Amino acid sequence: MRGERISLEFTGSDETAYALAASPDFAKDGICFAATSAGLFRSTDCGKCWQLLRITDEPVYQLATTALAVSPAFAQDRTVFVAVKGGVLRSSDGGDTWFAAKFPAPPPLFTTLIISPNFARDGLMLAGSMEDGVFSSTDRGVTWQPWNFGLFDLGVLSLAASPHMQEDETIIAGTETGLYRSTNGGRAWRESGFPSEYAPILSLAYTAYEERTLLFAGTEDNGLFVSCDGGSSWDRTAADTLPGSVNQLQILYQSDANVEVYALSEDGVSRSRDTGQNWDYLLQTEVPATAILVPDPGGEAMFLGLLGKGIVQYQL
């Protein structure tokens, strides 16, 4: 697999990308974003060139950005969200201008952002934080409130929304000590059947294909788990390929019968082309990997964030 390093023209020394996201219409518009320790970057030419976006009016605007989410209806609403220390910023014009939402002091440290698959109708967003649990917005990120009833571990590391959100209102939260499930859009939580001895849960991913719904959970030290019943029961998968950390997960829909799953570990990337049944180790990275993006199901490009090394592009 061939790799090509991409320069993001960071100020100062090499920086780290914490999250990568692309427009759902990437094949047409070529737009993708990188949340990094130097700020938020955008590319409009399929990742060839990147621009540091001004997300605040302060003279020094290179705020570290820790999480990122792009609207599933980006082609129509041009909406992007990014987390910074103490807040979530919203853009409705593809990243040109930004608006900050207010949060109570002390400022939360956000770890993850997710958007409802039904965002065009319900306007629902959730943000996970290190010490303050889950915050929710039902007005497209304008106002936020904590939704932590039943969430006994406020160290939220990952979130995932059900593909059938409109019908089941299911949200999953991975924490330092286990996994929680909400069946009312995040307003109340209950512990799931995930074995707590395998926590923390660093990454989550939902997929629905044919008539099945699968939920994947990546752990800090114990590999990857899969549930076929929405999180009530779990089985370990890919034990040989993914024996340790699974930092991020990405689902790609090739067709109803062909779903690819990418798993990012500290030392590389693994891929399943049959919805998690069989796995191949794709590549080993020179330094710990911090973010992954395969922006186009029909394309050949994969972007990886590397610790202190910016972003590298690989040809699949």
Side-chain angles (χ1 to χ4, degrees), residues 150-153 170-175 177-183 188-197 199 201 204 206 215-217 225-227 229-234:
L151 186 68
F152 301 120
D153 183 351
T170 298
I171 305 287
I172 304 294
T175 73
T177 58
L179 190 145
Y180 289 79
R181 177 171 52 193
S182 170
T183 55
W189 302 88
R190 180 177 296 177
E191 287 186 85
S192 83
F194 190 86
S196 59
E197 63 268 25
I201 300 173
L204 291 165
Y206 251 119
L215 175 61
F216 294 92
F225 290 77
V226 61
S227 173
D229 54 13
S232 296
S233 60
W234 294 85

Side-chain angles (χ1 to χ4, degrees), residues 1-6 269 283-286 293 300-306 311-316:
M1 182 174 292
R2 183 168 61 88
E4 177 185 357
R5 187 172 299 283
I6 303 169
V269 178
L283 66 97
Q284 183 174 3
T285 55
E286 58 194 71
L293 173 65
E300 298 180 347
M302 176 174 67
F303 297 94
L304 290 185
L306 301 179
I311 296 177
V312 175
Q313 179 179 345
Y314 291 91
Q315 294 302 116
L316 294 171

Side-chain angles (χ1 to χ4, degrees), residues 60-79:
V60 180
Y61 60 89
Q62 289 88 348
L63 292 175
T65 50
T66 56
L68 175 63
V70 176
S71 167
F74 180 81
Q76 291 77 41
D77 61 28
R78 310 291 290 176
T79 300

Side-chain angles (χ1 to χ4, degrees), residues 13 18 27 34 53 56 62 67 85-86 97-98 122-123 133 136-137 148-149 158 171 186 192 232 236 239 286 299 304:
S13 59
Y18 299 121
L53 299 180
T56 175
Q62 289 88 348
K85 184 177 180 180
T97 57
W98 294 85
D122 61 26
S136 174
S137 171
N148 292 324
F149 181 78
S158 52
I171 305 287
S192 83
S232 296
R236 187 168 182 181
E286 58 194 71
L304 290 185

Side-chain angles (χ1 to χ4, degrees), residues 42-311:
R42 177 183 63 192
S43 173
T44 58
D45 58 3
C46 300
K48 297 181 180 66
C49 300
W50 295 78
Q51 172 195 8
L52 178 62
L53 299 180
R54 189 181 186 96
I55 60 176
T56 175
D57 292 332
E58 296 297 325
V60 180
Y61 60 89
Q62 289 88 348
L63 292 175
T65 50
T66 56
L68 175 63
V70 176
S71 167
F74 180 81
Q76 291 77 41
D77 61 28
R78 310 291 290 176
T79 300
V80 187
F81 297 90
V82 64
V84 298
K85 184 177 180 180
V88 175
L89 306 179
R90 179 186 88 260
S91 173
S92 299
D93 56 12
D96 291 331
T97 57
W98 294 85
F99 302 90
K102 295 182 179 180
F103 287 83
L109 177 60
F110 291 106
T111 55
T112 182
L113 293 172
I114 63 166
I115 298 178
S116 165
N118 197 38
F119 183 73
R121 292 188 177 184
D122 61 26
L124 177 64
M125 280 203 65
L126 291 101
S129 68
M130 277 299 297
E131 297 179 346
D132 299 284
V134 174
F135 291 82
S136 174
S137 171
T138 57
D139 56 9
R140 306 178 189 278
V142 177
T143 60
W144 294 78
Q145 53 278 327
W147 277 3
N148 292 324
F149 181 78
L151 186 68
F152 301 120
D153 183 351
L154 300 183
V156 178
L157 305 176
S158 52
L159 291 167
S162 165
H164 308 296
M165 184 74 182
Q166 186 173 358
E167 293 82 27
D168 61 27
E169 295 191 287
T170 298
I171 305 287
I172 304 294
T175 73
E176 293 275 359
T177 58
L179 190 145
Y180 289 79
R181 177 171 52 193
S182 170
T183 55
N184 58 5
R187 290 182 290 276
W189 302 88
R190 180 177 296 177
E191 287 186 85
S192 83
F194 190 86
S196 59
E197 63 268 25
Y198 296 129
I201 300 173
L202 303 182
S203 55
L204 291 165
Y206 251 119
T207 178
Y209 69 104
E210 297 178 338
E211 295 183 357
R212 301 184 66 195
T213 300
L214 298 181
L215 175 61
F216 294 92
T219 68
E220 185 175 69
D221 298 308
N222 297 286
L224 183 65
F225 290 77
V226 61
S227 173
C228 301
D229 54 13
S232 296
S233 60
W234 294 85
D235 294 304
R236 187 168 182 181
T237 184
D240 294 336
T241 310
L242 295 163
S245 67
V246 180
N247 298 331
Q248 289 188 17
L249 292 162
Q250 184 181 352
I251 302 288
L252 280 182
Y253 292 90
Q254 302 287 354
S255 67
D256 286 342
N258 184 11
V259 179
E260 291 187 350
V261 186
Y262 289 81
L264 182 71
S265 56
E266 282 193 356
D267 61 353
V269 178
S270 298
R271 176 178 63 187
S272 170
R273 287 183 159 175
D274 54 10
T275 323
Q277 297 180 54
N278 298 285
W279 291 80
D280 295 313
Y281 191 73
L282 278 187
L283 66 97
Q284 183 174 3
T285 55
E286 58 194 71
V287 298
T290 55
I292 184 171
L293 173 65
V294 182
D296 180 15
E300 298 180 347
M302 176 174 67
F303 297 94
L304 290 185
L306 301 179
L307 184 64
K309 299 290 184 180
I311 296 177

